[in-house]
Amino acid sequence: MSELKPRIRVEYTKNATIITFTDEKILEERDVRALQEAVMHVVEQSGPINLILDFYNVRFLSSAVLGLLLRVSKRVYEAGGQLRLCNINPKIYEIFKITRLTRVFDIYRDALSALEGLE
Amino acid sequence: MGSQTPVSYSVVLESRPSAAEEVCRRILRELEDRGYSSDDIFAVHLALEEAFINAVKHGNKGDMGKIVNLEYTISADKVEIRVVDQGQGFDLTQVPDPRCDGNLFKPSGRGVLLIQAYMDEVDYNETGNAVRMVRYKRRPV
């Protein structure tokens, strides 16, 4: 039987929506798909959205998650919003560096600094 | 104090994304027992996931009737893993660099790059349906 658990936690602040991934490992395609559906659902409910994706709990991910982030990013920017990532642990940040996705994503130390300057 | 005896294992897996879960756990546990660092374990975990997914998706093209062969040897100073699928293989020189501007926003195509970045030796057989990858144990800083 497949395990049912919350994969994201959503927090609405004045200037942004913060989505925190609750899984420690994001690996399998079906997990990535479920996660993408959950995130896209939040994005599509809003108009232009300032979205912060918080990786505080995430200790491991595969390249499929990078694809998810790129798809979410496209959707957010097409709708006139902004996407910021935060709380990425050093091992995972290395993956972003190797793939040069540090040039694509705005990455912040934590949710507080990611919130700065958003209107 | 970890075990110093090399361990080798070979397994035939179903061609579906989650089929390597158990063997992956076993490899990571063996590495931990032998005192490999968390960086080593992270690297091998990532490379193994990417290689297995490539075998299932791109090698066997999602055909659940096919299989993936996985072999590994872990010794005190290195881990060697071989993943073989039943596909037609691919030409490494034809794989686009995902770091180029034109590919940077594409949602896929980063697995091969990550395997090469995290493992010390990576080679493919002539057909391109088997990858052998090695990571040497890092000395503690």
Side-chain angles (χ1 to χ4, degrees):
Chain A
M1 192 182 285
S2 64
E3 195 186 353
L4 289 173
K5 56 181 176 179
R7 300 197 175 274
I8 59 171
R9 190 176 63 238
V10 187
E11 186 189 339
Y12 297 93
T13 71
K14 191 176 158 219
N15 298 328
T17 301
I18 304 173
I19 294 181
T20 304
F21 297 120
T22 55
D23 291 345
E24 195 172 305
K25 289 181 184 178
I26 314 173
L27 272 179
E28 273 203 44
E29 213 163 323
R30 68 165 181 217
D31 294 341
V32 174
R33 255 201 315 271
L35 204 54
Q36 180 169 316
E37 276 170 27
V39 175
M40 288 298 198
H41 181 71
V42 175
V43 172
E44 276 155 14
Q45 277 184 328
S46 327
I49 183 175
N50 290 329
L51 181 63
I52 296 171
L53 295 178
D54 190 333
F55 285 76
Y56 181 80
N57 300 301
V58 183
R59 294 288 167 268
F60 189 85
L61 50 78
S62 68
S63 67
V65 179
L66 305 177
L68 173 157
L69 295 176
L70 287 160
R71 284 187 284 266
V72 170
S73 167
K74 188 167 183 277
R75 191 72 61 90
V76 168
Y77 283 99
E78 276 173 359
Q82 283 192 67
L83 174 68
R84 294 178 173 184
L85 314 182
C86 70
N87 274 320
I88 296 181
N89 91 11
K91 284 192 176 71
I92 293 177
Y93 186 74
E94 191 64 25
I95 296 178
F96 282 81
K97 262 175 38 187
I98 289 166
T99 53
R100 294 202 189 145
L101 289 177
T102 43
R103 286 167 50 190
V104 172
F105 294 111
D106 293 326
I107 300 176
Y108 292 78
R109 196 181 64 249
D110 52 34
L112 263 184
S113 48
L115 276 166
E116 275 173 29
L118 288 177
E119 289 173 7
Chain B
M1 271 302 169
S3 165
Q4 295 305 304
T5 319
V7 60
S8 290
Y9 189 72
S10 174
V11 63
V12 176
L13 298 166
E14 287 177 40
S15 193
R16 56 181 171 83
S18 61
E21 228 171 71
E22 198 190 316
V23 69
C24 181
R25 264 201 302 271
R26 182 195 290 232
I27 290 173
L28 302 183
R29 201 169 47 237
E30 298 276 9
L31 293 175
E32 221 177 313
D33 287 349
R34 283 167 172 74
Y36 280 74
S37 68
S38 65
D39 283 352
D40 288 329
I41 292 170
F42 184 93
V44 172
H45 192 179
L46 185 63
L48 179 57
E49 288 290 342
E50 299 294 341
F52 189 74
I53 288 297
N54 280 351
V56 169
K57 268 180 80 174
H58 304 298
N60 289 343
K61 304 211 179 301
D63 181 347
M64 306 252 286
K66 291 186 171 171
I67 51 123
V68 179
N69 246 293
L70 198 151
E71 296 165 22
Y72 69 79
T73 301
I74 301 171
S75 61
D77 65 339
K78 71 170 182 176
V79 48
E80 178 171 344
I81 300 171
R82 193 161 179 268
V83 180
V84 187
D85 63 58
Q86 293 185 305
Q88 301 295 306
F90 74 107
D91 180 357
L92 189 60
T93 62
Q94 299 301 309
V95 177
D97 187 341
R99 298 166 300 183
C100 291
D101 284 344
N103 299 326
L104 207 50
F105 290 88
K106 289 187 180 164
S108 60
R110 293 177 177 83
V112 169
L113 170 69
L114 289 173
I115 292 169
Q116 285 170 331
Y118 280 91
M119 299 302 272
D120 297 313
E121 292 171 20
V122 181
D123 43 69
Y124 294 85
N125 66 353
E126 209 172 313
T127 316
N129 70 327
V131 59
R132 174 191 154 274
M133 45 198 193
V134 177
R135 170 123 178 160
Y136 291 92
K137 187 182 193 176
R138 302 292 190 265
R139 290 181 190 283
V141 180

